[in-house]
Amino acid sequence: MGNLTLAGLDERIGEELGLSDWAVIDQARIDAFASCTGDHQWIHVDVERARRESPFRSPVAHGYLALAMVAPLSMQVGVIPVDAAAGLNYGIDKVRFLAPVPAGARVRLRVVLAGVEPKERGQVVMKTQNTLEVEGSEKPALIAETLALLIPATKASQS
């Protein structure tokens, strides 16, 4: 992927911006997410019960943990233009959870630039389609259309 610029975003609409490296969603990460959110549902954190009773025969990651992976993996892809001071979460237009992420699975993110909307003071809302792929699964874990508010760098912030 070439370096994105705010001025060149329009020309990249419809293009795949990149594919992240694989990231492991292990039981430790699932447990930490449960601890942070207070969501200790057995299907995520009770390994033995999940093996016995879950339709997936193992613990699975929280859907919102899978969704939370979109931001860091998209940053790894390099979705923030080089001439932006910052990219801020602006919203999510649509999310669909399509397949479980079993504990221990590897996921990666495929990012496509879906749209650009100019705002005041040179700011831009960038819409991306994010597909979180699960290694060995025909279906992705999720597809999410996310929005980022891109803040242009000022001369002072570039020096």
Side-chain angles (χ1 to χ4, degrees):
M1 175 188 107
N3 287 340
L4 287 178
T5 62
L6 288 167
L9 281 177
D10 280 343
E11 301 159 12
R12 305 287 297 272
I13 293 172
E15 283 186 27
E16 183 174 301
L17 299 181
L19 183 64
S20 76
D21 293 335
W22 290 104
V24 177
I25 307 298
D26 58 14
Q27 191 63 49
R29 188 184 297 240
I30 293 168
D31 292 344
F33 188 84
S35 180
C36 288
T37 63
D39 182 350
H40 296 280
Q41 186 181 154
W42 68 267
I43 201 164
H44 306 303
V45 299
D46 188 331
V47 175
E48 291 310 314
R49 184 175 177 192
R51 284 186 181 140
R52 284 190 321 268
E53 299 177 31
S54 165
F56 310 114
R57 293 292 172 231
S58 76
V60 294
H62 305 73
Y64 286 115
L65 169 54
L67 182 60
M69 296 301 296
V70 169
L73 293 178
S74 67
M75 295 295 287
Q76 183 191 95
V77 166
V79 299
I80 304 300
V82 294
D83 55 349
L88 309 172
N89 285 327
Y90 194 71
I92 301 175
D93 276 357
K94 184 177 181 181
V95 178
R96 293 293 180 264
F97 298 101
L98 303 173
V101 178
R106 295 191 330 156
V107 298
R108 68 181 177 185
L109 187 70
R110 186 175 303 276
V111 183
V112 173
L113 181 59
V116 176
E117 180 185 344
K119 294 289 192 184
E120 58 192 32
R121 298 186 314 275
Q123 297 177 359
V124 172
V125 172
M126 177 177 66
K127 182 181 209 174
T128 54
Q129 179 173 327
N130 304 274
T131 304
L132 190 69
E133 301 174 349
V134 181
E135 189 175 41
S137 173
E138 289 183 26
K139 286 185 179 179
L142 64 84
I143 296 175
E145 293 176 3
T146 60
L147 304 172
L149 179 64
L150 304 175
I151 312 293
T154 61
K155 298 285 183 224
S157 68
Q158 291 178 343
S159 51

